[in-house]
Amino acid sequence: TFHGATQRIEFPVTVARADRGYTITGEVTIDHRNWGLKVIRLMALLKVDPEVRIRFRLAGELPPPAEE
């Protein structure tokens, strides 16, 4: 939900594993006009691209195994 409008966004992610560590990366391009926002114009000459590219990388590590 953004700017009072709800849209579903789906995109592929890549999950990589090394030992106990995991890295999740993804990328998607969205058009902010889908949320009811207008195209931004500066001085009637320049226009901001309504498509926004989002890239992310999440990294984490599992805790060590419990000792018995």
Side-chain angles (χ1 to χ4, degrees):
T1 301
F2 181 67
H3 198 253
T6 300
Q7 297 285 331
R8 174 175 279 192
I9 301 174
E10 296 180 356
F11 50 93
V13 296
T14 302
V15 179
R17 180 179 173 200
D19 296 321
R20 293 189 327 266
Y22 286 86
T23 303
I24 303 169
T25 56
E27 181 177 326
V28 65
T29 300
I30 62 169
D31 188 331
H32 69 67
R33 295 174 293 187
N34 293 337
W35 281 267
L37 297 171
K38 296 179 181 177
V39 174
I40 300 169
R41 295 185 189 278
L42 304 172
M43 297 181 278
L45 298 174
L46 301 173
K47 180 174 86 170
V48 176
D49 189 353
E51 292 188 343
V52 179
R53 187 166 125 201
I54 300 168
R55 294 182 295 170
F56 67 90
R57 179 176 181 262
L58 303 171
E61 188 173 298
L62 296 174
E67 294 183 26
E68 295 181 17

